[in-house]
Amino acid sequence: MAIERTFSIVKPDAVAKNLIGAIYGRFESAGLKIVAAKMVHLSREQAEGFYAEHSERPFFKALVDFMTSGPVMVQVLEGEDAIRRNREIMGATNPAEALAGTLRADYADSIDENAVHGSDAPASAAREIAYFFSDEELCPRTR
Ligand code: GDP
Ligand code: MG
């Protein structure tokens, strides 16, 4: 299995609940390495561009309102099978359907405010990483 990179967000609800460290701990315990990270308060333009694939969905305005409601942590995770494994750590989009022990089961309140984002495929991971980070900001973890 190849080493992959995936893009992750700790969403405004989880930042407000002081869960950044707890969530980073889950990534690290699973062997995923953080190779870039920063805190940002998204503008509406940034949030709309990031979620452009959902622009025709009925929940799009609520999603943009939520994602711009407070600061988020954005990070790039690296490891074997990182894209699929991060989705496993996150759990289902709707926390009511997320498996016990996943981030969304433990920390999310609703499908609208569900604690974390993670890329769903190699193409989206590449697009989402480039949306927030330049190549120089990605730090190889060779030690
Ligand atoms: P994800 O990849 O698991 O985050 O899910 P999607 O890509 O399908 O949707 C993106 C985000 O939009 C989700 O994480 C939710 O925050 C929100 N979302 C998705 N489906 C719904 C829905 O049916 N209702 C509402 N209110 N929000 C939704
Ligand atoms: Mg998605």
Side-chain angles (χ1 to χ4, degrees):
M1 183 57 67
I3 300 290
E4 287 177 339
R5 286 175 173 170
T6 191
F7 178 74
S8 161
I9 303 178
V10 180
K11 293 185 176 183
D13 57 328
V15 172
K17 289 193 261 183
N18 242 6
L19 291 169
I20 297 168
I23 290 171
Y24 277 25
R26 298 281 185 97
F27 298 147
E28 293 193 321
S29 296
L32 294 176
K33 294 177 176 176
I34 297 163
V35 298
K38 60 190 168 192
M39 182 175 273
V40 288
H41 193 141
L42 298 179
S43 66
R44 291 198 76 81
E45 292 68 28
Q46 274 178 308
E48 286 168 358
F50 182 76
Y51 280 118
E53 65 176 309
H54 295 308
S55 63
E56 303 306 318
R57 308 285 287 278
F59 58 81
F60 185 64
K61 182 175 179 298
L63 175 61
V64 172
D65 287 346
F66 166 56
M67 290 300 294
T68 57
S69 66
V72 300
M73 290 297 302
V74 296
Q75 49 280 332
V76 178
L77 308 176
E78 184 180 89
E80 273 196 15
D81 202 15
I83 297 168
R84 190 191 59 76
R85 287 183 50 233
N86 180 44
R87 295 288 303 196
E88 222 169 70
I89 292 163
M90 290 165 57
T93 306
N94 184 350
E97 294 166 6
L99 293 180
T102 61
L103 291 170
R104 283 166 164 171
D106 289 347
Y107 298 138
D109 293 324
S110 67
I111 193 170
D112 321 66
E113 305 207 353
N114 59 4
V116 283
H117 166 85
S119 309
D120 60 8
S124 55
R127 182 186 82 83
E128 291 170 3
I129 290 169
Y131 196 82
F132 284 100
F133 294 101
S134 66
D135 284 345
E136 298 72 47
E137 289 178 297
L138 306 175
C139 299
R141 294 281 300 269
T142 49
R143 290 181 51 131

